[in-house]
Amino acid sequence: MCLKLNSKLVGIIGGGQLGMMLAEAIKKLGGRVIGLDPNHHCSITHVCDEFICASYDDEEALRALCEKSDVVTYEFENIKGEHLKMLNEEYNIKQGIQSLIDSQDRLTEKNTARKFGLKTARFFKCDNEADLVDAINNLGYPALYKTRTEGYDGHGQVLIKSKEDLAKVRPYFNTNAKGIVEEFIKFDYEASVIMIGDNKKIVSLPVGHNIHKEGILDICEVPFDGVKDIEAAMKEASKGFMRKAGYKGILCIEYFIKDGEFYFNEMAPRPHNSGHYSIEALDYSQYDLFARYLLDMTYDEPKLLHKAIMKNILGRDLINVDYYLTQAPGFLHMYFKEEAREKRKMGHITFLDMDLKTFMEIEKGIE
Ligand code: AMP
């Protein structure tokens, strides 16, 4: 009998940890990977078969990657629209580019969320002083200013607690940055829904509880009792949104949960930090499912095999890695980053069969 191997070459634009873990999943299935990133020593270089070192603006290099690949995806979200359109017309970007283009602009993504049935915090566009005054008159304090583009992990945001804080927003008007001001939601929890598929079939991961520290994801807990009553509704609304918006591939939606209602905050059309736990805790991880999608293989609703806690290891947490691992067996994933900065994501640890209370007890041992 001749076994037919799936040896397709997948091109990944962006070589960070998300690209690296996706590459690992693709290679487990017999696929091959070519990565593109401006950094010679980025995470994906430790896993991929071929690598193109080039900037995301280098049209020739992007073309070279696509030319070689059977299917192309991205883990870097700020590729320019003009490049995306060109690549999408000529090559096989199986997930398309619409979700990426929409997610690049907070105003567009929130309008799209509303258009296709999801609730959001109230928001107003804010490009100048008059917009700012108008937004605050409508929303009151506290409110949040966010740049429309290139904001992540709390970057490009100003918490406006009082009139005095308006001065912190004004410098953005001089940089031509366009922004929004949105209602501050005193949420009970943050949680995300990660989906894989297209209009033929969409599957989703269990909804995890995301705990942030200084705007950066710190811990993810799965399953999460706080969403038990609304998990089915969250998944259904999220899948409905993905279908109606015509998005394909992978999509993570981050929500605020307050009084049993869920509010769309933002979306990402790539594997997501809040889904790292799935590598060990599910039968198929977000990376496995997306790899199967890209390689035209079958995929099904994943099953939770273990409850889990995922702890992000930022530069400032490196000193505690040994401590964590002496407290409980955990799966450590390091991202091969050469330079450790305080808030840079350097790795993560997943603890299976652990609940949040136990993890918090372990954390108390850190001075
Ligand atoms: P973002 O870049 O929009 O994901 O924001 C980073 C973090 O800031 C979120 O994960 C929340 O913890 C917090 N945040 C963002 N928007 C709001 C909001 N409208 N109300 C309350 N907290 C928010």
Side-chain angles (χ1 to χ4, degrees):
M1 193 178 76
C2 174
L3 187 66
K4 198 164 160 271
L5 286 176
N6 192 336
S7 61
K8 283 188 181 138
L9 185 59
V10 182
I12 304 181
I13 304 173
Q17 62 269 19
L18 302 172
M20 179 186 84
M21 288 183 270
L22 177 61
E24 286 167 349
I26 292 166
K27 290 179 66 79
K28 273 197 297 186
L29 294 169
R32 291 167 303 128
V33 173
I34 171 166
L36 181 149
D37 192 282
N39 174 3
H40 264 295
H41 304 288
C42 65
S43 308
I44 205 169
T45 57
H46 296 265
V47 180
C48 63
D49 301 273
E50 283 183 57
F51 181 67
I52 297 176
C53 187
S55 107
Y56 301 115
D57 284 349
D58 184 336
E59 193 176 319
E60 217 172 292
L62 288 168
R63 241 176 222 289
L65 175 98
C66 294
E67 205 62 64
K68 286 183 165 210
S69 308
D70 296 300
V71 57
V72 177
T73 186
Y74 36 75
E75 64 102 77
F76 175 75
E77 281 167 275
N78 291 318
I79 314 159
K80 283 197 181 128
E82 70 222 65
H83 293 316
L84 286 171
K85 287 189 187 116
M86 174 273 290
L87 299 177
N88 192 43
E89 273 161 26
E90 297 176 37
Y91 303 101
N92 180 22
I93 303 186
K94 191 177 175 194
Q95 76 217 83
I97 58 168
Q98 198 55 47
S99 54
L100 180 57
I101 288 179
D102 292 348
S103 70
Q104 285 178 338
D105 182 335
R106 285 190 192 273
L107 189 62
T108 309
E109 74 175 345
K110 283 177 200 281
N111 279 327
T112 310
R114 283 201 171 176
K115 181 170 164 197
F116 296 120
L118 298 176
K119 281 200 190 80
T120 68
R122 288 184 298 146
F123 59 89
F124 293 84
K125 85 166 183 46
C126 181
D127 300 339
N128 51 44
E129 184 70 28
D131 288 345
L132 181 61
V133 171
D134 186 49
I136 294 298
N137 282 343
N138 277 284
L139 297 171
Y141 300 107
L144 268 173
Y145 171 84
K146 298 181 177 180
T147 52
R148 276 171 62 175
T149 56
E150 292 177 26
Y152 65 96
D153 287 345
H155 289 269
Q157 295 190 13
V158 178
L159 176 60
I160 311 168
K161 284 195 269 191
S162 64
K163 208 170 161 201
E164 283 66 51
D165 291 333
L166 297 176
K168 297 182 197 157
V169 176
R170 291 185 183 117
Y172 286 98
F173 301 148
N174 301 330
T175 64
N176 271 338
K178 292 186 183 307
I180 60 168
V181 173
E182 73 179 25
E183 177 186 7
F184 186 87
I185 305 242
K186 293 193 184 72
F187 52 77
D188 301 320
Y189 312 107
E190 292 185 80
S192 49
V193 179
I194 298 174
M195 297 168 282
I196 292 97
D198 54 30
N199 55 0
K200 289 189 211 91
K201 180 180 192 173
I202 301 176
V203 299
S204 59
L205 271 59
V207 179
H209 177 198
N210 304 338
I211 302 172
H212 291 78
K213 216 189 224 172
E214 297 168 41
I216 307 174
L217 185 69
D218 182 34
I219 297 164
C220 185
E221 173 198 21
V222 185
F224 174 41
D225 278 351
V227 291
K228 221 167 39 197
D229 297 340
I230 56 168
E231 181 161 1
M234 284 178 78
K235 286 181 169 183
E236 199 185 306
S238 305
K239 288 179 183 179
F241 166 76
M242 192 170 170
R243 222 174 272 121
K244 285 181 231 160
Y247 296 161
K248 297 181 289 183
I250 186 163
L251 186 74
C252 172
I253 303 182
E254 293 183 75
Y255 289 103
F256 300 136
I257 295 164
K258 184 174 165 52
D259 301 330
E261 302 274 5
F262 46 97
Y263 298 83
F264 172 106
N265 177 37
E266 62 178 2
M267 64 181 179
R270 50 160 173 77
H272 196 260
N273 192 170
S274 63
H276 289 352
Y277 78 87
S278 64
I279 298 175
E280 286 89 14
L282 302 190
D283 56 354
Y284 290 95
S285 73
Q286 62 170 345
Y287 302 102
D288 296 330
L289 293 165
F290 189 40
R292 298 182 72 87
Y293 179 83
L294 291 170
L295 295 172
D296 299 320
M297 298 168 82
T298 56
Y299 55 95
D300 271 311
E301 203 69 32
K303 290 187 191 65
L304 185 71
L305 304 177
H306 300 269
K307 63 179 165 188
I309 294 291
M310 189 283 305
K311 161 75 183 157
N312 260 345
I313 303 297
L314 307 188
R316 65 182 174 211
D317 301 314
L318 284 171
I319 192 170
N320 299 319
V321 168
D322 283 347
Y323 167 77
Y324 284 123
L325 294 175
T326 54
Q327 299 303 302
F331 292 86
L332 174 66
H333 296 252
M334 293 306 294
Y335 307 152
F336 307 105
K337 293 185 183 174
E338 292 198 315
E339 191 197 339
R341 290 190 297 273
E342 200 194 329
K343 293 186 179 176
R344 189 173 193 204
K345 291 171 184 164
M346 305 300 292
H348 73 267
I349 308 176
T350 298
F351 296 98
L352 296 183
D353 303 313
M354 184 182 282
D355 56 28
L356 189 60
K357 196 162 161 256
T358 311
F359 183 74
M360 290 306 189
E361 282 301 316
I362 291 176
E363 286 252 284
K364 280 188 194 160
I366 294 171
E367 280 143 43

